[in-house]
Amino acid sequence: MTGLAASPTLSKRERIVSRKLIELLFSKGSSRSTSAFPLRIVFMEKAREESEEPVQILVSVSKRHFKRAVKRNRVKRQIREAYRHHKTILTGRIADDKSIAIAFIWLADELFESQQVERCVKRLLGKVAESI
């Protein structure tokens, strides 16, 4: 196994679980948003607290788009996997005293190939990186 690069991970600490942070992320004026169909990204920069990850994410797929949990879970898995592979686009550009909260929101009523979701996530992360 020597010589293989460690694969990027997505730890529990990198997920947004705080209800207060979620409300702050979606409140008027405190965050910015951009879209690349079939995804919309809502993000905000904030001061980093002690032992907090530089980037925290939330993935949302509405029941309105997919009634069956199997399909919602598939889409969420695709988004998380794409983010996991491309999160270095953001993590290298964040100052030590700042952190970013990101919400990925699914907009489409149909499923997409994983490569297409990955391209979309990469494009959105690039837009966020440019704006910070």
Side-chain angles (χ1 to χ4, degrees), residues 81-92:
E81 185 70 6
Y83 169 76
R84 189 175 68 81
H85 284 291
H86 298 290
K87 68 181 178 180
T88 54
I89 294 171
L90 276 181
T91 53

Side-chain angles (χ1 to χ4, degrees), residues 34-130:
T34 186
S35 295
F37 194 79
L39 271 176
R40 181 170 149 237
I41 191 169
V42 178
F43 63 98
M44 67 174 223
E45 216 174 335
K46 63 186 193 68
R48 188 184 313 181
E49 295 172 15
E50 206 173 309
S51 74
E52 186 179 65
E53 293 292 321
V55 180
Q56 292 183 310
I57 70 163
L58 167 80
V59 178
S60 173
V61 181
S62 174
K63 223 184 232 190
R64 186 180 338 146
H65 296 301
F66 299 112
K67 299 293 182 216
R68 305 236 176 227
V70 172
K71 289 183 178 182
R72 289 195 306 276
N73 291 340
R74 176 187 175 203
V75 171
K76 288 191 273 190
R77 198 175 320 112
Q78 286 176 316
I79 295 168
R80 283 193 307 264
E81 185 70 6
Y83 169 76
R84 189 175 68 81
H85 284 291
H86 298 290
K87 68 181 178 180
T88 54
I89 294 171
L90 276 181
T91 53
R93 300 193 58 170
I94 299 172
D96 290 336
D97 61 334
K98 297 283 184 190
S99 72
I100 295 180
I102 295 176
F104 290 99
I105 302 165
W106 189 257
L107 301 173
D109 287 336
E110 69 267 4
L111 297 171
F112 285 83
E113 295 284 326
S114 293
Q115 293 83 8
Q116 197 170 356
V117 173
E118 191 165 343
R119 280 193 303 271
C120 183
V121 168
K122 189 176 177 180
R123 190 174 331 125
L124 287 170
L125 290 176
K127 287 180 182 180
V128 172
E130 288 172 9

